[in-house]
């Protein structure tokens, strides 16, 4: 399979999920080019953007696992 460049946008509204999100990102660390996290304290959310170079299967796998967590939303944007 061909690798693609993708950005996963993650919004965490339940801070108890932060540790699990970080654990998942660590699990996929070989595909992660970079990440940026921003705590938005006024709205009580954490926003993370993750740039990946991976197969579509791995990208979807990470996003799917993140989306299954309570209090976590994730969306993927893939380069053509």
């Amino acid at each position: 399979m061909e690798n693609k460049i993708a950005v996963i946008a993650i919004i965490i509204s339940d801070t108890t999920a932060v540790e699990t999100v970080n654990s998942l990102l660590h699990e996929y660390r070989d595909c992660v080019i970079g990440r940026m996290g921003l705590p938005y304290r006024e709205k009580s959310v954490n926003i993370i953007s993750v740039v990946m170079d991976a197969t579509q299967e791995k990208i979807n796998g990470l996003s799917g696992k993140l989306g299954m967590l309570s209090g976590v939303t994730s969306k993927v944007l893939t380069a053509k």
Side-chain angles (χ1 to χ4, degrees):
M1 272 189 154
E2 178 183 331
N3 278 12
K4 296 186 176 202
I5 305 297
V7 178
I8 301 179
I10 306 164
I11 297 179
I12 305 170
S13 57
D14 180 357
T15 56
T16 62
V18 170
E19 189 175 326
T20 307
V21 169
N22 282 326
S23 178
L24 282 170
L25 293 176
H26 181 74
E27 183 181 325
Y28 284 82
R29 69 189 176 279
D30 59 324
C31 306
V32 174
I33 298 170
R35 66 183 268 186
M36 178 178 62
L38 300 168
Y40 192 4
R41 291 179 183 89
E42 292 82 11
K43 300 289 182 176
S44 299
V45 297
N46 294 293
I47 304 155
I48 303 172
S49 60
V50 178
V51 181
M52 297 180 72
D53 182 358
T55 63
Q56 192 69 50
E57 183 179 277
K58 282 191 175 184
I59 295 165
N60 291 342
L62 175 56
S63 181
K65 288 178 183 179
L66 290 166
M68 289 176 19
L69 298 174
S70 178
V72 178
T73 304
S74 71
K75 298 291 178 184
V76 177
L77 176 63
T78 307
K80 293 184 179 181

